[in-house]
Each structure stands twice: as structure tokens, then as C-alpha cells.
Amino acid sequence: MTDAMGIFDIMLALVLPWLGWRLLASPNLFRAVVLFISLGLLMSLAWVRLHAPDVALAEAAIGAGLTGALFLSALRRLERLRDSERRLDYAEKREEEQNLPPEKRRKSKPVAYVLALFLLSVFLLLLGGALLKTPVAPGRLGPAVAGQMGQSGVQSRVTAVLLNFRGYDTLLEVMVLFLAALGVWSLTRVRQTPQEKVPGPVLATLVRLLVPLMITVAGYLVWIGSSRAGGAFQGGAVLAAAGVLLLLANVTVVRQIPSTLLRWALVLGPLLFLLSAVACMSIGGNLLEYPRQSAGSWILLIESATAVSIGVTLAALYAGGRPHEPAAREAIVDKSADTKVKNGEGA
Amino acid sequence: MNWLYSTAALCLLSAIVAGLLRILRGPTAADSMLAAQLFGTCGVAILLLLSKGLDWLVLQDIALVFALLAALAAVAFALRTWGGTER
């Protein structure tokens, strides 16, 4: 009976905007984070109902899992900062401003609003202009993709588009992620703290059970991506979840990974992607035009390397800084994002 | 799709919506977080029901990812929000 599913869809469509509004309007940050995790779960269900299992997988891993852990850790750090430095800075700044002559003070609120409105309308105009200029595709793209599936080397249409037909876009996306990790690494180091207490029995067991399972599932998702929903990004996200769990539990193994290894893991995907793009040209095709017979193997190779790099990238973004040099081995390094904040550092 | 599966999925979604009230009301942080964990469990159940009802195997993979990553938020909460105060 489809009536029940109709009600299901209507309910989902009503709850999602309401949830989004409550989350944005919530004055309590912790509640907003919990609402955000719920929003991720419901969004994932909505993507399933829209027949987009690939997006649902990514949303389940990123929206509901990783971002939730990231926000909870960030919230903790904010709370620690709130009582000391942040208020101090703000009070000092206000005092400073009041001592300035009137023409040097910050712009009053109405001026700032008008300026923001002006910039926003310019942006919207440019966006509208770009939309008007974009050529409209002559036909529907679905049948066009379906017609070319035979030469893509994979069975999943999404993977065929992402890694073969529009591989260039994916290459750039992988580079963007790489740049994001580089940006975070150039900003700060993870803070050093001495060994804290060992994780309790519950946490230790959970880590021991979940981490191997997560790594297996990540490999499975990459593998299954060639025939149905899954792929490098989803697999990488699950791999990152394993990394975040290890960082949270603060296990010794993570602290002993040499930073050279991490750097190579970070570079592996983008580098291999770029090299295979160039290799395709040297064989005689265009950029990223794989040889027909072995297209499937090329895609799997690129996806596996990219998944490892995406996993390390996302976990590095969670850790929030570059690892310490291997030389500093005797000083035990802690990479979890919320350890004791020294004055001024990480503000 | 079998009516039994779709009705059960609808009931589970209603449970999620009812759980939203617990998130908004609280009263403690743990109440909110446990409601979010309930959503994870309900989400897994809904996905498995839909997978069976629509005969769509991919949904089982999504349910697997749901189940694996729901634990992550719970661990982050237990370490960073709830139990981490004495450190």
C-alpha cells in the first residue's frame, strides 16, 4: 500500500524545514548540535526517498556521524575558551574602540547592513547573470549516460559519471579537499599534551570492535561503488570515522604514526589521480580518457587511493593541525582536538 | 510495497518526530543526545524495512553506515560533553 509511504514522505517534508529552522534559531549551542545530527539522519532518509542512495550514504557518514563528533569537540573547546580569553579580548577591544575618535570607530550598524545588502545584491545579480548565460543541455542527461555505460568500465551510473565521463570535476574536487587539509596544517600544530588517562574498558572494547569494522566497511564501499551506490568519498568518510574514533579514544597507536606516513597518505590520492590523468594523455587519449578495456581497473585504482587520502584528510581536519615531526618522538603527542588549551594557543 | 512494511516505517518516523520533542525539551544534555541516538536506531530500522519492502539492497549499506557512525557521535558526546568535565 503506497498511502502509508505517501504520509511518510509528507511527514519527512514537513519535519525537515521545521528542524532546520529550530536548529538555526536555537540559542543553546549543544541543542543545535544534536538537532544538526538529527537533521543529517532525516536528510539521509529524504535522499533515500528521492532515489539517490549515493547522496544518502555520504550524508549518513558526513552529516550524521563525522560532523556531529566534530561539532561536539569544537563546542567543548569553545566552552573552555569562553571563560578566559575570548571575553577578555572582547572587553579590551570595546574599551579600545571607545577611546578612538568618533570617525575612526567601527561603522555603525545601519551602514554595515546597507553595505551587506549591497554586496549581497551584487552577488545575486552576478549569479543570475551566470545562470542566464549557461547553455541549457539539449536533452536529458540520464539517457545520454545510459547510452554510454558500455564503455565506462563500471556498472554504477554515478561512478561512471564521477570517475569517467566527468573525471576532471572529481579530480578538482579531490584537490580542493587536499588544499583544505594543507590550509589547516599550515595554520597550526596539534597541541602537545602528556599521556592522559587510558581509555576505560567500555571505550577500549568499542574501539577494538568498531575500528576494524569501519575499515572493512570502507573497503567494501569503495569496491561496491563500481556496481551500485558507494565509492571513494563514502568509503573515505567511513575511514575518517575510524580515524576520529581513534583520536577521540586517544590511543597510543595514533600518536606513534610517523608524520611522513600521514603526509604520503594525504598526497597519495591526488597524486595518483593526477598521474593517471597524465598517463592517459601519454597513452594517446585525452586527459583522463582511460583505455576502454581496462577502464574498470583504472577507476578502482584511483578510487582506492582517493578513499585513503579522503579518509586521512577528513581525520586531519578533525584533528585540526599538522602532526608533530618524528624527531619529537619522546614528547608524547596528542592529536585529539580538545586537549588542554594553553593560553592564546588555538584561539 | 507490502502495507506492513510501509506502516511500520511510518510508525518509526512518528517515533523520531516524537523524539524531537525530547531534544527540544531536554532537560539534560544526555536526554537530548539519547534522543538523537534513538533516531539512529529508528533510521536503521526504517532503512531495513524499506530495503525489504522495495527489494532495494543498497539501503542495507546505508543502514550499515548509519549503525557504524551513530556510535561515533555517542562516543564524542560521552567524552567531550558528558564525562569530560573532570579532566
Side-chain angles (χ1 to χ4, degrees), chain A residues 53-341:
Chain A
D54 291 84
V55 192
L57 259 179
E59 180 67 40
I62 304 271
L66 280 177
T67 329
L70 178 68
F71 278 173
L72 285 174
S73 300
L75 194 62
R76 170 66 174 275
R77 252 178 91 171
L78 268 182
E79 272 163 8
R80 286 189 164 179
L81 286 174
R82 185 172 293 161
D83 301 326
S84 51
E85 296 117 60
R86 251 171 31 132
R87 276 209 185 133
L88 206 67
D89 288 352
Y90 190 58
E92 276 171 4
K93 209 180 264 176
R94 280 184 95 177
E95 203 172 300
E96 225 169 67
E97 225 163 69
Q98 274 169 357
N99 291 336
L100 284 175
E103 67 273 7
K104 276 193 175 177
R105 279 184 205 167
R106 269 201 317 189
K107 288 192 173 62
S108 58
K109 269 193 174 170
V111 178
Y113 280 138
V114 168
L115 200 65
L117 212 63
F118 172 72
L119 287 175
L120 190 69
S121 44
V122 168
F123 174 72
L124 282 179
L125 274 178
L126 286 175
L127 200 66
L131 268 181
L132 282 180
K133 278 203 160 185
T134 310
V136 181
R140 296 193 53 180
L141 289 173
V145 170
Q148 303 290 319
M149 280 306 289
Q151 48 172 294
S152 70
V154 288
Q155 283 90 51
S156 160
R157 285 190 196 184
V158 176
T159 310
V161 171
L162 282 181
L163 267 297
N164 200 335
F165 303 148
R166 301 290 306 175
Y168 184 58
D169 294 356
T170 312
L171 175 63
L172 291 182
E173 276 163 25
V174 169
M175 290 299 170
V176 166
L177 262 180
F178 179 59
L179 280 180
L182 276 191
V184 169
W185 277 21
S186 57
L187 279 177
T188 178
R189 261 174 214 281
V190 286
R191 283 173 310 285
Q192 267 184 330
T193 44
Q195 168 103 55
E196 290 188 33
K197 64 180 179 191
V198 286
V202 176
L203 185 58
T205 313
L206 190 74
V207 169
R208 218 170 284 139
L209 285 176
L210 267 188
V211 169
L213 210 57
M214 279 173 169
I215 294 172
T216 315
V217 168
Y220 164 75
L221 284 177
V222 174
W223 173 257
I224 206 77
S226 59
S227 57
R228 57 190 212 205
F233 200 75
Q234 288 86 346
V238 175
L239 203 61
V244 169
L245 190 61
L246 286 174
L247 285 170
L248 270 171
N250 196 10
V251 288
T252 331
V253 188
V254 185
R255 276 182 260 116
Q256 286 169 347
I257 297 176
S259 76
T260 334
L261 190 67
L262 281 180
R263 280 160 213 267
W264 276 108
L266 203 64
V267 172
L268 180 70
L271 188 69
L272 200 76
F273 212 150
L274 205 60
L275 282 180
S276 37
V278 176
C280 289
M281 286 174 84
S282 67
I283 292 173
N286 283 318
L287 189 79
L288 282 171
E289 186 184 343
Y290 317 115
R292 293 271 166 89
Q293 300 80 25
S294 55
S297 326
W298 283 77
I299 289 177
L300 189 65
L301 184 71
I302 293 175
E303 281 214 292
S304 312
T306 315
V308 171
S309 287
I310 289 175
V312 174
T313 305
L314 293 179
L317 290 179
Y318 174 83
R322 65 182 176 281
H324 285 268
E325 304 305 321
R329 180 68 60 81
E330 69 275 12
I332 291 173
V333 178
D334 175 23
K335 279 190 278 176
S336 72
D338 79 319
T339 44
K340 281 176 187 157
V341 181

Side-chain angles (χ1 to χ4, degrees), chain A residues 1 5 11 18-19 30-31 34 38 41 44 53 57 60-61 76 196-197 206 210 220 228-229 241 248 338, chain B residues 1 6 10 13-14 20 23-24 29 32 39 50 58-59 61 65-66 68-69 75 77 79-80 84 86-87:
Chain A
M1 196 188 268
M5 279 332 277
M11 212 163 169
W18 180 74
L19 194 59
F30 172 75
R31 193 157 295 160
V34 177
S38 321
L41 285 167
S44 185
L57 259 179
R76 170 66 174 275
E196 290 188 33
K197 64 180 179 191
L206 190 74
L210 267 188
Y220 164 75
R228 57 190 212 205
L248 270 171
D338 79 319
Chain B
M1 186 171 166
S6 49
L10 186 62
L13 188 67
S14 315
L20 277 178
I23 293 188
L24 292 172
S32 304
F39 292 3
L50 292 184
V58 179
L59 299 191
D61 294 348
V65 173
F66 256 58
L68 275 180
L69 295 207
V75 170
F77 170 75
L79 287 175
R80 298 290 179 250
E86 80 274 14
R87 268 208 233 156

Side-chain angles (χ1 to χ4, degrees), chain B residues 3-17:
Chain B
W3 67 270
L4 188 64
Y5 296 132
S6 49
T7 314
L10 186 62
C11 287
L12 285 166
L13 188 67
S14 315
I16 290 185
V17 174

